[in-house]
Amino acid sequence: MSRHKYKRLKHQITSVPSRWYFCLSFAITILLGWVGVAAAQDSNTNNFTNLSTIWLLVSSFLVFFMNAGFAMLEAGLCRRRNATNVLAKNLIVFCISALAFWLIGFGLMFGDGITYSCVPGENTSLSLVGQKGLFFNLPFPQFGNLGFPESGFNCLNQDWSNHSFASLFLFQLVFAGTAATIVSGAVAERVKFWAFLLFSFFLVGFIYPVTGHWVWGHYGWLAKALKFHDFAGSTVVHSVGGMAALVGAWLLKPRQGRFGYNLRTDRYEGLETEKFSADNLGLATLGCLILWLGWFGFNGGSAKDLDYVANTITTTMMAAAAGGISSVFFSPIILGKPSLASIINGILGGLVGITASAAFVDIRSAFIIGSISGIFVLLGEYFIQVWKIDDPVGSIPVHLFCGFWETIVIYIKF
């Protein structure tokens, strides 16, 4: 290469990033300044309304990106010949979830009741499901009352007073999509495509929002009568999704040859006839890291008060790390030897475990919760093998076992 060409190439390499860095720095400066102005434009009761809404939107983007993590994780832990089907289900399930949650689920979960008032002190009744707000529309432009409809969601407006209606709907929508995606991993490689779509619509449209209303609804009977707490969804999202995954995997039976199962005779005959090892652990590891990142929005966005966000994200990080370490140390005792798949699920188990209490505990408690969650993942993997339940990616141990464990912990705490 001539000296002239070398200098030109060096100039291109050094100058282009510099311009991009300058533009990026300038954009960030403008954004931070705008956020600061937005947060300070009202120094009284509504001081952090705009900033709270922005953080909720950012959290929604992080939770939505978790769909990519689930897709990578499932494609990496399943066999290559089924990768296209696995990826297609992960892609379309969010489309179905969005439709079902808008049409039915959001109203059942957060809609007002016909017979009770949301004014404090005027009503003490309990409710099983929201009765208003089905097929709602978004008021536009969203001036005054933060874009809440004139009727149907007065209780939600009271509970989330500093957030816009559209941002709340988006945040809860990506939560609902996560609950449906949990199931896809447990039934991978054998569920029919259209059957899975129908099941996902029913889960997100009816099962998930009804359970969510019991815990997060303004007059939900679990929250009011039993003083039940679930900060970000160890029970509402993960236990419900994990139980649905267990039922689905049990009904579908194992894959052909798994645990010696013969699909034609519906019997378990001898040893496994095929290899069921993960196809691409690199892809699965990438999926784990994406989910880990997304969980900061999952838990951090659930904080109604911005003062709790930093603590919530920190405890989430610690619980995930503790879950991964715990799975390494206890794998030789429970499963015989540590594996990358067990480490991945240990990290995810720690994240599921801390989800119900991330804003209520300190960092030491988060470490303990994450460590025990890692053990529960290993126990779950052991028991589903004993019970001959085919779960290709470990959705049941991660979401059901760890979700159940944290449900008990948070109930005892409160």
Side-chain angles (χ1 to χ4, degrees), residues 18-347:
S18 299
R19 291 196 297 267
W20 280 106
Y21 293 153
F22 173 78
C23 294
L24 180 61
S25 301
F26 181 76
I28 292 175
T29 303
I30 294 297
L31 177 61
L32 292 176
W34 176 72
V35 169
V37 172
Q41 65 180 350
D42 186 352
S43 59
N44 297 318
T45 59
N46 211 23
N47 192 32
F48 294 104
T49 296
N50 292 312
L51 187 58
S52 297
T53 295
I54 292 172
W55 167 241
L56 195 61
L57 289 174
V58 172
S59 299
S60 301
F61 303 155
L62 290 172
V63 178
F64 173 75
F65 193 54
M66 291 174 70
N67 287 277
F70 280 117
M72 298 299 98
L73 181 68
E74 294 176 22
L77 294 179
C78 292
R79 292 174 293 182
R80 180 177 301 180
R81 67 188 188 189
N82 294 301
T84 301
N85 184 264
V86 168
L87 293 173
K89 290 203 305 294
N90 274 274
L91 193 60
I92 198 64
V93 68
F94 191 84
C95 301
I96 295 295
S97 299
L99 181 64
F101 199 64
W102 168 58
L103 293 176
I104 305 171
F106 191 69
L108 293 180
M109 193 166 181
F110 294 106
D112 296 338
I114 297 175
T115 59
Y116 62 75
S117 170
C118 295
V119 178
E122 290 190 4
N123 181 73
T124 57
S125 63
L126 305 178
S127 63
L128 296 176
V129 67
Q131 301 160 11
K132 296 181 180 179
L134 303 180
F135 310 101
F136 69 89
N137 194 15
L138 289 177
F140 185 84
Q142 296 188 29
F143 297 128
N145 202 29
L146 293 174
F148 276 80
E150 294 182 358
S151 63
F153 295 98
N154 293 323
C155 289
L156 182 65
N157 191 4
Q158 179 179 319
D159 294 337
W160 291 79
S161 57
N162 291 329
H163 302 78
S164 74
F165 178 74
S167 65
L168 284 170
F169 169 67
L170 179 63
F171 186 67
Q172 294 299 332
L173 169 61
V174 293
F175 262 53
T178 300
T181 309
I182 290 171
V183 183
S184 66
V187 299
E189 299 196 43
R190 59 201 188 279
V191 66
K192 292 185 179 297
F193 186 77
W194 291 106
F196 179 71
L197 297 188
L198 181 62
F199 171 79
S200 299
F201 186 92
F202 186 77
L203 175 67
V204 177
F206 297 96
I207 298 176
Y208 168 75
V210 170
T211 308
H213 183 81
W214 295 349
V215 179
W216 292 336
H218 192 78
Y219 287 108
W221 70 273
L222 273 177
K224 295 299 181 182
L226 301 181
K227 305 300 180 183
F228 186 85
H229 291 76
D230 185 4
F231 175 68
S234 283
T235 302
V236 176
V237 179
H238 298 286
S239 292
V240 170
M243 182 58 70
L246 174 62
V247 173
W250 175 70
L251 289 176
L252 288 173
K253 302 292 182 66
R255 292 166 287 179
Q256 174 67 26
R258 179 63 167 158
F259 305 121
Y261 178 73
N262 190 328
L263 183 61
R264 297 179 180 177
T265 62
D266 193 22
R267 293 180 179 178
Y268 295 91
E269 302 173 352
L271 302 176
E272 291 185 351
T273 57
E274 297 185 33
K275 291 183 178 180
F276 294 92
S277 57
D279 174 65
N280 192 329
L281 287 174
L283 205 61
T285 303
L286 175 62
C288 174
L289 293 172
I290 292 175
L291 290 172
W292 196 342
L293 173 65
W295 233 286
F296 298 146
F298 199 96
N299 289 353
S302 298
K304 297 179 181 179
D305 191 333
L306 291 176
D307 291 339
Y308 288 88
V309 171
N311 181 80
T312 299
I313 293 177
T314 303
T315 55
T316 300
M317 172 68 81
M318 180 54 63
I325 294 173
S326 178
S327 65
V328 173
F329 279 99
F330 289 96
S331 285
I333 301 174
I334 300 174
L335 298 178
K337 62 178 180 178
S339 65
L340 179 55
S342 295
I343 297 173
I344 290 173
N345 285 336
I347 293 172

